[in-house]
Amino acid sequence: MFFLHELERTITLHPSFFGPRTKEYLTTRLLEDVEGTCSGQYYIICVLDAFSISEGRVVPGSGVAEYTIQYRAVVWRPFKGETVDAIVTSVNRMGVFADVGALPVFVSNHLIPPDIKWDPNATPPQYTDNGDQVIEKGTHLRIKLIGTRSDVGSMFAIGSVKEDFLGSANPKSPYQSKLTLIGHFDDSPAS
């Protein structure tokens, strides 16, 4: 789920960057340092604005200055029970690995419907029901998050596709448009 958070970060600045554009440089450095990172609890998607930049405090003995910046950011925190769209990155007999943005998710073969079986002889290896349901590398999946694990700078999740309306979001059909999760259309003809 997405949230708007007010956060704080301390940035040190070398004396060579002191001058009339110091605040502009601090804002740029903030964007480079925090956008796209994981705190262990949430992912920082986008910094909206830096609404408070403190006066610099010179660190004794080094000459660098410390600035405390308060900023607003859009963050994403995955929750247990949340349904998300993912792209499969690898498939093996133990299950499926997929990415939901920056969040890696594992779907065990026990959390895949029993009619969808592992087919190691297919090229590429895949889970299939020998019909229109195929789970292979690059497949778009709708996954329900069963649980999440947080580390210091990363997160990991376990998911399921065993319930209604979950599973392959792009069954092999010549009539389905080829819309990808990043938002652009593939103009090639359907096969």
Side-chain angles (χ1 to χ4, degrees), residues 11 19 30 58 62 92 97 104 114 116 129 133 135 143 168 177 180 189:
I11 295 179
L30 175 71
V58 177
S62 68
N92 61 36
F97 289 92
I116 300 176
D129 65 351
Q133 288 282 341
I135 301 174
I143 299 173
S168 179
S177 66
T180 62

Side-chain angles (χ1 to χ4, degrees), residues 87-92 95-99 105-107 118 125 127 135-138:
I87 298 176
V88 175
T89 55
S90 71
V91 179
N92 61 36
V96 175
F97 289 92
D99 286 338
V105 179
F106 176 68
V107 179
W118 167 244
Y127 283 90
I135 301 174
E136 61 186 15
K137 184 177 180 178

Side-chain angles (χ1 to χ4, degrees), residues 40-60:
Q41 296 294 321
Y42 49 80
Y43 290 95
I44 299 175
I45 305 299
C46 175
V47 173
L48 297 177
D49 65 337
F51 61 86
S52 174
I53 300 175
S54 71
E55 294 295 322
R57 187 182 70 82
V58 177
V59 178

Side-chain angles (χ1 to χ4, degrees), residues 157-176:
I158 303 294
S160 171
V161 293
K162 208 169 185 175
E163 297 179 20
D164 290 340
F165 306 108
L166 300 178
S168 179
N170 58 345
K172 301 251 178 187
S173 168
Y175 304 107
Q176 183 175 4

Side-chain angles (χ1 to χ4, degrees), residues 14 35 44 82 84 89 93 103-104 129:
H14 190 270
E35 278 189 346
I44 299 175
E82 185 175 2
V84 293
T89 55
R93 65 181 180 85
L103 177 70
D129 65 351

